[in-house]
């Protein structure tokens, strides 16, 4: 009988707690759906206004963090937690965490400056903070860079902004620097005349500025040519490798000998 009385007494409490938990779960799910919908609407509005993709992601991240904090406070208030005290506690914790994680705040501030001053944007190919690749995302604290070998690299915004940044996408074209070694006895002017028109025929090599082929240096093997076609950054590696193939094919078709070192011996004679 005591057990029945006890069960009867706690049943209303358990039922109330159960409804409370279910209500909190429903509130959470509805809140998450509303947050996703709000971010989606904001993204569509910003896209319709042709706002830069980098800035869109940054604003969406800030909105998402803010709305999630509001949702947590609302759920705590629903469960009877004094939200005013919680807000004060949250502010105090935020201050303590901010002091301890000053690096994160520095990254956050650096991210804002990256958005404002725009040394690079999403889609640019850059070198900075010791890494190289295409900028995939500029987040609240980090920049995501995808390397040419498809490895994702996450770098703190403050580290990137505090370093020298090379932005290869800042201009319409980029120069590909290659060299071609000629053997002694090969006429460099003839080699230049063969290479220049062939370079212009490589896919994605632009005509303005026209490809450069000039005498760069002389060494123990003969003459060194500078071979420099121009292309868009997106086609850099394709033009780079095609230029190497072109040099080998052109010199092979012309019958140029392989370069070799000529050494001066005593008595004025030379050996190779």
């Amino acid at each position: 009988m005591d057990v029945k009385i006890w069960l009867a007494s706690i049943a209303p409490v358990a039922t109330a707690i159960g409804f409370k938990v279910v209500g909190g779960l429903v509130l959470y799910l509805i809140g998450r759906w509303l947050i996703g919908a709000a971010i989606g609407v904001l993204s569509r509005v910003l896209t319709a206004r042709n706002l830069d993709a980098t800035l869109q992601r940054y604003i969406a991240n800030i909105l998402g963090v803010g709305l999630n904090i509001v949702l947590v406070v609302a759920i705590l208030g629903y469960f009877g937690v004094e939200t005013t005290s919680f807000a004060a506690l949250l502010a105090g914790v935020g201050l303590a965490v901010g002091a301890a994680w000053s690096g994160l705040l520095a990254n956050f501030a650096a991210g804002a400056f990256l958005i404002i001053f725009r040394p690079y944007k999403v889609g640019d190919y850059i070198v900075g903070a010791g890494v190289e690749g295409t900028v995939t995302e500029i987040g609240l604290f980090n920049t995501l860079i995808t390397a040419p070998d498809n490895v994702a690299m996450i770098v703190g915004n403050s580290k990137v902004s505090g370093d020298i940044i090379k932005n290869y996408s800042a201009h319409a074209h980029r120069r590909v620097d290659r060299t071609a070694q000629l053997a002694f006895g090969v006429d460099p002017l003839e080699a230049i005349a063969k290479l220049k028109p062939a370079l212009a025929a490589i896919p994605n090599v632009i005509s303005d500025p026209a490809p450069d082929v000039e005498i760069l240096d002389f060494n123990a093997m003969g003459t060194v040519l500078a071979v420099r076609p121009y292309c868009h950054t997106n086609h850099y590696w394709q033009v780079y490798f095609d230029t190497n193939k072109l040099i080998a094919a052109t010199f092979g078709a012309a019958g140029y000998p392989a370069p070799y070192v000529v050494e001066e011996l005593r008595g004025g004679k030379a050996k190779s």
Side-chain angles (χ1 to χ4, degrees):
M1 293 296 293
D2 293 339
V3 174
K4 291 183 178 180
I5 295 174
W6 180 76
L7 290 176
S9 64
I10 68 168
V13 177
T15 303
I17 293 175
F19 279 119
K20 203 77 170 177
V21 171
V22 172
L25 180 60
V26 171
L27 178 61
Y28 172 78
L29 293 176
I30 294 175
R32 290 293 299 171
W33 181 82
L34 289 175
I35 290 173
I39 293 175
V41 170
L42 177 64
S43 298
R44 287 193 293 272
V45 170
L46 296 179
T47 301
R49 294 180 177 273
N50 296 321
L51 200 65
D52 181 73
T54 303
L55 190 56
Q56 287 186 36
R57 289 191 181 94
Y58 200 79
I59 294 174
N61 285 338
I62 293 176
L63 178 64
V65 171
L67 291 179
N68 276 292
I69 291 175
V70 172
L71 176 61
V72 170
V73 173
I75 292 175
L76 290 175
Y78 172 77
F79 281 107
V81 178
E82 182 58 47
T83 55
T84 304
S85 302
F86 177 77
L89 177 63
L90 184 63
V93 171
L95 183 61
V97 172
W101 292 353
S102 58
L104 285 179
L105 294 179
N107 285 327
F108 180 82
F113 282 113
L114 289 174
I115 295 298
I116 295 171
F117 295 109
R118 302 173 62 81
Y120 58 81
K121 63 182 183 300
V122 171
D124 285 355
Y125 189 91
I126 69 168
V127 174
V131 299
E132 176 178 356
T134 302
V135 178
T136 305
E137 180 181 354
I138 303 175
L140 292 177
F141 304 102
N142 303 303
T143 292
L144 177 61
I145 298 174
T146 302
D149 56 356
N150 206 34
V151 175
M153 297 175 289
I154 302 172
V155 188
N157 287 333
S158 62
K159 187 172 181 62
V160 181
S161 63
D163 196 8
I164 296 175
I165 301 172
K166 292 183 179 179
N167 189 341
Y168 291 99
S169 301
H171 299 292
H173 62 266
R174 178 180 176 185
R175 190 178 75 188
V176 178
D177 288 330
R178 304 305 301 133
T179 58
Q181 177 70 58
L182 298 175
F184 277 107
V186 176
D187 183 0
L189 299 182
E190 177 187 305
I192 291 173
K194 291 179 178 296
L195 281 177
K196 267 195 173 182
L199 278 176
I202 292 178
N204 297 312
V205 170
I206 63 177
S207 58
D208 185 20
D212 295 323
V213 183
E214 301 293 345
I215 297 175
L216 180 65
D217 202 356
F218 304 94
N219 57 26
M221 291 186 289
T223 306
V224 180
L225 300 182
V227 184
R228 296 171 176 174
Y230 296 83
C231 65
H232 190 276
T233 298
N234 293 345
H235 306 131
Y236 177 84
W237 289 110
Q238 173 255 310
V239 173
Y240 182 100
F241 293 127
D242 283 354
T243 300
N244 287 342
K245 295 174 186 176
L246 176 70
I247 293 171
T250 302
F251 288 0
Y256 294 159
Y260 55 89
V261 177
V262 177
E263 299 179 358
E264 186 71 25
L265 299 178
R266 293 178 182 178
K269 294 182 179 180
K271 75 171 184 178
S272 61

